[in-house]
Amino acid sequence: RYPFITCTNCGPRYSIIRALPYDREHTEMVRFHMCHECQEEYQNPENRRYYSQTNSCPDCAVRLSLYDQGKSPVSSDQEEIIQLTVEAWKAGKIVAIKGIGGYLLTCRASSASAIQTLRQRKHRPFKPFALMFPDLASLESVARVNQSEMAEISSIAAPILLLDVKKEAWQQLDMQGIAPGLDQIGCMLPYTPLYALLLGEMQEPIVATSGNLTNAPIVFSDEKALGELTAIADLILLNDRDITVPQDDSVIRHARISGQRIIIRRSRGLAPTFLYPETRDIKTSVIATGAMLKNTFCVLHQGNVYLSQYLGDLAHYDTQQSYRHVMQHFMRLLGIEPEIILHDQHPDYPSSHFARELAQQWSADRLSYQHHVAHFAAIIGEQRLIHTSEPILGVIWDGTGLGPDGHIWGGEFFHYEKYCFTRISHFAYFDFILGDKMPKEPRISALALTRGIASAEPFLKEKFTEAEWKLYQQVLRKESKLKSSSVGRIFDGVASLLGVRDKQTFEGEAAMLLEAMARKHMVEYGLKDVCSYLPEKMEWDTVPLNSLLSNMLKDIIDDKPAGSVALNFHHTLVETIWILGRKSGARQIAFSGGVFQNALLVDLIHLHPNPEGFQFLFHRELSPNDECISFGQLMCYLIDQKK
């Protein structure tokens, strides 16, 4: 019952490394002096703890300590701490627990009052929470798990896995509090001995969500935990082994029908290793600084590629500081002196500012690449196809990215051949209005998308106050100079028109609910009555949004079930891929961008009749969201070297 027992196959590694090589004196374990028995294990080649850098036992222990909200110690007795933590959960309390890469906020998954308190204190009203289960049997009692998902959740990476819920979940868990409006939950199993001990005593699932304030990076220092998390947690469970760099839990989902693996967040257990043999002979040191949202950075050093863990949204100061901390640590770790710095074409991203600083500091060359081209390059690179002689159609759909024409792109079709990218089509531009307000309020996307469609007014006017309606109509009459082709905003607008969400509390909320609505309809009724909202004839250069939305509104006016309309909308998006695929002449179609985190959309692509024999290229080792941008920037650089 020692909470930090490890062998060479388990325990922390990346999160406690101070320097290389990976020896005990270069980790946070350096101050824990091994007892005689541990030292013998460590030095014996026949022992499974031979050269296990995190080796320790109760006689040379990493020690637990428990504190209350007043930062006063509650207990230092190891066994008592386990019991007090479980008792706190059962009493409806919130406990912050230090894990491998940072703190988790935890509470009883069946307690509606505890979950509501956690939401209120964390200022997170609707974003779903992940759950940790004692074992596979308890997980399978509330969620559907197929063979590939079983292998995923039981793997050494031990990620959070999004799973469909059974009806039994509604009896055993506070589903409305855990994942409001959704039909899936994020599930994981204990991945440390401490969690195994705690859940073994609890014998029921707990909420286990990142220990942070909303929009801030995960807390990983004890000082910050006692300073910030006491506003959320009733108890703080620390240990005296420091964390060098933070790591959130990785999040993965498998599309239900096709089985396609979709990484939502690449972090603990997956990052920073990325095996990419094609760069083995390249000696240039390159740093790619990534995007704004869901940031990562990517390093090419001595022929090896390293892709950082998920670092978060750089719009927030704390995340920017965490980003700098992790990158500087990585540069020290590997002794990197960068010669090339890569960044997004948007000049005002914090990552672009940092790229300019790095380039000046190291007298390095600096190159910028367009956001969606980097997305396309990321999937081509992951599939080892940057040198292909065959043309590839790239379908790149997301929420936002600055285009070279000064507009906000996000619904793009590209052609790749002979190391050249060409934008061949996109969704028709619509007004991008009211700045940052638009991504946060799907009703504004609906308003901009349906401009000039009279039948939309009855559905829209009630979503605004009289003063808002007059003001926004004036804004639309002026016609914004800033346009968008974003499929992310189209999802938002459709969700608002269907009454799913007019304002969202986290990125992607409306799209997630729209996907859940469409999937529920497909499960109940299948695809026999599915139809497309596209016009019979479609131009090559743009996807006609006006006619698409007009046709969809006819169904809404005719009181067709919202789930049916949502499913038809997803099907319509898939139809655009086939139309552009036929016209492009390519036989390979690559997909990237945050929209392709939508497992229903991925399944519908696989289910669509495919007499043309298109080959689909999806991300499997990288996330389709902006986490892959830094890797894509590196691939753009490698492609440039071949021109």
Side-chain angles (χ1 to χ4, degrees):
R1 294 181 65 83
Y2 174 57
F4 298 95
I5 191 166
T6 63
C7 68
T8 52
N9 287 329
C10 65
R13 184 166 295 194
Y14 173 57
S15 64
I16 64 166
I17 293 174
R18 293 177 177 178
L20 291 175
Y22 177 58
D23 293 327
R24 191 175 177 106
E25 62 265 29
H26 295 153
T27 75
E28 298 295 351
M29 291 298 297
V30 66
R31 64 189 183 86
F32 297 94
H33 300 290
M34 283 183 279
C35 65
H36 177 71
E37 189 177 354
C38 285
Q39 191 73 42
E40 281 191 343
E41 291 175 343
Y42 184 79
Q43 293 175 337
N44 181 1
E46 295 182 353
N47 193 291
R48 68 175 180 167
R49 295 194 177 92
Y50 172 63
Y51 213 58
S52 173
Q53 309 304 343
T54 51
N55 196 25
S56 64
C57 77
D59 292 330
C60 53
V62 177
R63 305 290 298 179
L64 297 172
S65 54
L66 192 65
Y67 288 79
D68 62 19
Q69 280 185 309
K71 306 176 190 177
S72 299
V74 175
S75 176
S76 59
D77 181 274
Q78 306 302 281
E79 193 60 41
E80 184 183 35
I81 286 172
I82 301 292
Q83 301 306 319
L84 289 173
T85 301
V86 173
E87 287 171 13
W89 282 337
K90 290 182 177 178
K93 302 294 185 181
I94 298 163
V95 185
I97 304 176
K98 185 179 182 179
I100 285 178
Y103 280 80
L104 290 182
L105 289 165
T106 66
C107 68
R108 194 177 197 171
S110 60
S111 173
S113 60
I115 292 171
Q116 187 57 32
T117 300
L118 178 55
R119 288 200 176 280
Q120 289 170 349
R121 291 179 183 175
K122 200 178 179 185
H123 306 294
R124 182 170 162 174
F126 297 113
K127 192 174 182 180
F129 287 138
L131 304 182
M132 186 181 289
F133 290 80
D135 48 39
L136 277 170
S138 60
L139 188 156
E140 288 183 284
S141 70
V142 297
R144 294 185 178 87
V145 194
N146 63 31
Q147 194 169 355
S148 62
E149 289 167 336
M150 189 82 73
E152 187 81 75
I153 201 168
S154 304
S155 70
I156 196 167
I160 296 170
L161 190 64
L162 301 187
L163 296 170
D164 292 346
V165 295
K166 296 177 179 177
K167 60 183 179 182
E168 288 82 359
W170 295 88
Q171 283 83 51
Q172 297 183 39
L173 308 170
D174 174 34
M175 279 299 301
Q176 191 51 42
I178 292 164
L182 300 174
D183 57 354
Q184 291 191 319
I185 50 175
C187 305
M188 60 178 157
L189 297 173
Y191 55 85
T192 70
L194 175 60
Y195 294 142
L197 284 170
L198 289 168
L199 271 294
E201 290 289 323
M202 185 66 174
Q203 282 300 300
E204 59 179 277
I206 58 166
V207 166
T209 188
S210 296
N212 59 352
L213 303 175
T214 296
N215 296 323
I218 189 171
V219 170
F220 67 97
S221 75
D222 299 341
E223 182 183 2
K224 205 162 187 179
L226 290 170
E228 292 183 1
L229 297 185
T230 49
I232 304 174
D234 300 296
L235 293 172
I236 314 287
L237 178 47
L238 289 73
N239 66 68
D240 57 356
R241 182 176 61 203
D242 291 337
I243 296 171
T244 307
V245 290
Q247 282 185 301
D248 288 90
D249 293 316
S250 294
V251 184
I252 299 175
R253 73 189 304 192
H254 289 199
R256 173 53 58 188
I257 298 169
S258 64
Q260 180 67 51
R261 185 181 196 236
I262 305 169
I263 295 182
I264 307 297
R265 186 166 72 199
R266 186 179 183 272
S267 195
R268 179 190 53 75
L270 301 176
T273 301
F274 189 73
L275 301 178
Y276 199 76
E278 294 186 30
T279 57
R280 197 170 290 146
D281 297 328
I282 300 175
K283 300 307 177 187
T284 308
S285 286
V286 183
I287 293 179
T289 58
M292 174 81 160
L293 302 175
K294 298 178 172 61
N295 177 272
T296 62
F297 62 83
C298 188
V299 173
L300 173 61
H301 181 65
Q302 295 181 351
N304 296 313
V305 173
Y306 305 93
L307 184 59
S308 81
Q309 68 272 36
Y310 159 88
L311 294 168
D313 181 355
L314 295 183
H316 306 286
Y317 175 77
D318 285 348
T319 310
Q320 293 174 26
Q321 295 304 104
S322 178
Y323 171 81
R324 287 170 177 265
H325 166 74
V326 176
M327 184 182 285
Q328 287 163 358
H329 170 72
F330 212 88
M331 291 174 69
R332 286 195 303 271
L333 203 63
L334 297 176
I336 297 171
E337 298 182 3
E339 300 160 80
I340 308 288
I341 308 294
L342 312 175
H343 63 90
D344 194 276
Q345 274 187 352
H346 197 303
D348 291 328
Y349 280 175
S351 52
S352 300
H353 287 298
F354 191 47
R356 287 191 284 271
E357 288 179 32
L358 279 174
Q360 186 173 9
Q361 178 184 349
W362 293 97
S363 301
D365 292 332
R366 180 169 56 86
L367 300 168
S368 67
Y369 293 103
Q370 199 276 326
H371 185 93
H372 299 93
V373 170
H375 262 303
F376 192 11
I379 180 61
I380 293 173
E382 183 183 336
Q383 296 282 342
R384 313 291 198 265
L385 289 172
I386 63 173
H387 304 299
T388 183
S389 58
E390 299 292 323
I392 302 175
L393 173 67
V395 182
I396 314 300
W397 294 349
D398 65 0
T400 184
L402 181 66
D405 58 2
H407 295 308
I408 305 298
W409 289 11
E412 314 310 311
F413 297 86
F414 289 95
H415 181 270
Y416 177 77
E417 191 172 13
K418 296 178 181 177
Y419 304 109
C420 289
F421 295 96
T422 307
R423 187 196 194 201
I424 58 173
S425 187
H426 59 88
F427 277 77
Y429 280 138
F430 52 91
D431 286 349
F432 191 92
I433 58 174
L434 304 174
D436 290 342
K437 201 176 179 74
M438 192 171 183
K440 294 174 183 176
E441 299 188 19
R443 61 179 186 155
I444 294 172
S445 290
L447 187 68
L449 285 162
T450 58
R451 180 183 176 209
I453 304 176
S455 59
E457 187 169 320
F459 300 97
L460 290 172
K461 202 167 184 180
E462 63 184 20
K463 299 177 184 293
F464 301 91
T465 65
E466 190 173 337
E468 284 175 332
W469 183 258
K470 288 180 180 177
L471 175 63
Y472 295 165
Q473 290 301 312
Q474 289 175 1
V475 170
L476 285 172
R477 277 194 290 272
K478 290 179 183 176
E479 189 162 344
S480 172
K481 292 181 180 178
L482 185 62
K483 304 290 184 180
S484 179
S485 60
S486 166
V487 173
R489 298 291 77 80
I490 296 170
F491 261 93
D492 287 350
V494 170
S496 177
L497 289 170
L498 287 173
V500 171
R501 196 63 97 228
D502 290 327
K503 296 181 180 180
Q504 51 189 6
T505 60
F506 63 91
E507 187 196 7
E509 180 179 3
M512 287 169 63
L513 292 167
L514 190 69
E515 177 192 351
M517 175 188 283
R519 183 169 51 240
K520 182 180 178 184
H521 187 86
M522 188 176 81
V523 168
E524 290 181 10
Y525 301 102
L527 295 171
K528 60 181 179 179
D529 295 322
V530 75
C531 68
S532 170
Y533 294 131
L534 291 172
E536 289 186 15
K537 291 185 178 180
M538 197 176 93
E539 296 297 322
W540 165 256
D541 57 341
T542 59
V543 178
L545 269 180
N546 195 279
S547 54
L548 186 161
L549 292 165
S550 295
N551 290 335
M552 188 185 78
L553 280 163
K554 289 175 186 175
D555 273 0
I556 297 175
I557 292 165
D558 290 342
D559 282 331
K560 286 202 173 178
S564 171
V565 178
L567 182 58
N568 286 341
F569 167 67
H570 281 75
H571 173 72
T572 301
L573 294 180
V574 174
E575 281 292 308
T576 67
I577 296 167
W578 252 260
I579 291 169
L580 271 298
R582 294 186 193 108
K583 290 179 177 177
S584 72
R587 284 294 168 265
Q588 295 183 96
I589 306 179
F591 302 89
S592 191
V595 168
F596 292 104
Q597 294 177 141
N598 183 320
L600 173 63
L601 187 64
V602 170
D603 272 341
L604 290 174
I605 291 168
H606 283 285
L607 288 171
H608 194 285
N610 188 16
E612 297 85 359
F614 291 128
Q615 179 187 353
F616 305 130
L617 309 174
F618 286 97
H619 291 287
R620 277 191 56 83
E621 302 303 318
L622 305 179
S623 175
N625 69 34
D626 282 4
E627 289 180 38
C628 75
I629 288 290
S630 60
F631 178 73
Q633 291 166 348
L634 176 60
M635 293 300 103
C636 285
Y637 169 74
L638 296 182
I639 289 166
D640 272 357
Q641 306 313 299
K642 295 294 181 180
K643 287 182 180 178

